[in-house]
Amino acid sequence: MPRRLLKRFMPEPDALRRKKSLRFMHHLIADPALWALSRRTVANAFMVGLFCALLPIPFQMVLAAFGAWALRCNLALSVGLVWITNPLTMPVVFYATYRVGAWMLDTPARVMPEQVSTAWFASQLEDILPALALGSLVSAIVIAVLGNLLVRLLWRYQVVRSWRSRRKARVAARRGEKSKT
């Protein structure tokens, strides 16, 4: 079941509560609803985490934590999924969202130079920002909704598969009892 797999990688809420750096969030971390692993909480956590990951803003993890709190979904998954856009993947992801925004605004997309520097980026920011913002927002919404639906479908598939295997085991056990008598 997906719950068992996820529990292996989840941090313990008690261990997080004992950390001095997280004391200001004690009331948030102590809420058991933010640590539940159900189809709804996991799917919504994927939605929040993926949405925040595709926004080109600072403090994405804080936004994901507040989103998890507001939607009552799994806090650890929401915050952890933000790391999809880490320093290695961020340029590729945000360039792709910029291209989506440029396509939607029907403006020609700028070609990235061979050596991307902060100076180049700063000089182009005024022209890039509208397309980046629109592309990121639209991509974030689409990816978040698709992530939510995919998790719900995969979870349902896993549950149905588990039901079928239990039913086959019961039928096999019954056949075994009948053949012994």
Side-chain angles (χ1 to χ4, degrees):
M1 198 153 155
R3 184 177 295 129
R4 279 185 238 133
L5 175 69
L6 291 173
K7 270 197 183 255
R8 261 191 267 164
F9 299 107
M10 297 283 293
E12 289 294 321
D14 292 333
L16 292 176
R17 273 187 234 128
R18 287 191 295 265
K19 290 193 183 263
K20 289 182 181 180
S21 62
L22 296 175
R23 285 228 172 114
F24 73 97
M25 296 178 65
H26 178 68
H27 64 285
L28 182 68
I29 295 172
D31 187 1
L34 297 177
W35 298 95
L37 289 171
S38 67
R39 183 180 358 175
R40 183 192 64 78
T41 60
V42 171
N44 288 347
F46 265 76
M47 183 174 64
V48 168
L50 291 173
F51 179 80
C52 293
L54 292 178
L55 296 179
I57 59 172
F59 305 112
Q60 294 170 321
M61 291 172 64
V62 174
L63 183 63
F66 282 118
W69 175 76
L71 291 178
R72 312 302 291 162
C73 60
N74 192 285
L75 177 68
L77 282 173
S78 295
V79 172
L81 281 167
V82 168
W83 281 94
I84 288 173
T85 51
N86 58 57
L88 293 175
T89 61
M90 201 177 291
V92 175
V93 170
F94 290 144
Y95 184 68
T97 59
Y98 162 70
R99 295 290 301 240
V100 168
W103 173 75
M104 291 180 74
L105 291 173
D106 199 26
T107 59
R110 300 208 183 261
V111 179
M112 287 184 70
E114 289 184 30
Q115 286 294 94
V116 177
S117 66
T118 54
W120 175 84
F121 187 74
S123 70
Q124 303 295 318
L125 189 59
E126 190 175 314
D127 296 331
I128 291 173
L129 198 56
L132 178 63
L134 179 64
S136 294
L137 187 61
V138 169
S139 298
I141 291 169
V142 169
I143 297 295
V145 169
L146 288 176
N148 186 308
L149 292 173
L150 184 64
V151 167
R152 287 177 188 266
L153 288 172
L154 288 173
W155 196 290
R156 177 71 181 160
Y157 170 75
Q158 185 68 27
V159 168
V160 168
R161 202 172 111 204
S162 175
W163 288 346
R164 287 181 181 156
S165 68
R166 277 190 249 151
R167 186 176 41 177
K168 285 181 183 177
R170 276 190 304 230
V171 168
R174 284 188 203 138
R175 286 182 185 157
E177 288 175 6
K178 287 181 182 179
S179 64
K180 289 181 184 177
T181 58

